[in-house]
């Protein structure tokens, strides 16, 4: 796929028609879509060929030179979301619909909470160092 993190997650078939296959791979804060012709597996690529809506809301699409279309999943909750993709190809427009799963997105707070005790030790050491600096400046 487009990015190393997108390549780590497998592409899954989201929708299929008589002419096209739609696959998606999710990674941190993005969803990479690929649309391929069923007959010869060539990708439908290029800006303006695809429009996307996620849960009924239009989302911006970035066409990549490798044939992938990237959409941002920032602000989307984890779990299943309905995906609608309109593809312009061979003089027609085709609607592909399916469901994609957005993974849980970790924030800095989640990472700190995941490390539990070590984060508290770092915080405590920082507080002690700041206190030592303040006390040493007052004595001068």
């Amino acid at each position: 796929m487009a990015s190393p993190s997108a390549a780590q997650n497998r592409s899954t078939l989201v929708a299929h028609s008589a002419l096209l296959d739609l696959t998606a791979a999710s990674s941190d804060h993005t969803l990479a879509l690929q649309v391929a012709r069923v007959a010869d597996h060539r990708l439908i690529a290029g800006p303006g060929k695809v429009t996307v809506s996620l849960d009924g809301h239009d989302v911006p699409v970035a066409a990549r030179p490798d044939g992938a279309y990237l959409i941002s999943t920032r602000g989307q909750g984890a779990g299943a979301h309905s995906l609608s993709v309109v593809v312009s190809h061979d003089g027609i427009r085709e609607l592909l619909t399916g469901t994609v799963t957005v993974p849980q997105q970790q924030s800095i707070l989640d990472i700190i909470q995941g490390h539990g005790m070590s984060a508290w030790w770092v915080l405590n050491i920082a507080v002690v160092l700041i206190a030592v600096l303040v006390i040493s400046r007052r004595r001068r």
Side-chain angles (χ1 to χ4, degrees), residues 1 13 25 28 35 42 46 48 51 80 82 84 88-89 92 98 108 124 126:
M1 281 283 142
L13 184 65
D28 293 335
V35 182
R42 285 187 335 193
T51 58
S82 66
S84 298
S88 299
H89 69 99
I92 61 171
I108 296 293
N124 287 334

Side-chain angles (χ1 to χ4, degrees), residues 104-123:
Q104 179 68 35
Q105 300 171 358
Q106 288 190 340
S107 66
I108 296 293
L109 182 60
D110 293 333
I111 293 169
I112 290 172
Q113 287 176 343
H115 288 78
M117 206 56 175
S118 60
W120 281 110
W121 277 106
V122 170
L123 179 62

Side-chain angles (χ1 to χ4, degrees), residues 14-115:
V14 174
H16 174 78
S17 73
L19 299 174
L20 301 175
D21 284 332
L22 172 65
T23 58
S26 60
S27 64
D28 293 335
H29 306 294
T30 60
L31 189 64
L33 306 173
Q34 285 189 328
V35 182
R37 289 178 173 84
V38 172
D40 56 8
H41 303 290
R42 285 187 335 193
L43 294 177
I44 306 288
K49 301 263 184 181
V50 169
T51 58
V52 178
S53 65
L54 198 59
D55 292 332
H57 302 287
D58 291 340
V59 292
V61 179
R64 300 281 309 233
D66 63 356
Y69 297 94
L70 298 181
I71 63 170
S72 174
T73 57
R74 287 190 190 276
Q76 300 292 328
H81 296 273
S82 66
L83 178 74
S84 298
V85 178
V86 176
V87 182
S88 299
H89 69 99
D90 304 320
I92 61 171
R93 290 171 41 114
E94 192 168 346
L95 173 64
L96 299 170
T97 60
T99 302
V100 293
T101 302
V102 174
Q104 179 68 35
Q105 300 171 358
Q106 288 190 340
S107 66
I108 296 293
L109 182 60
D110 293 333
I111 293 169
I112 290 172
Q113 287 176 343
H115 288 78

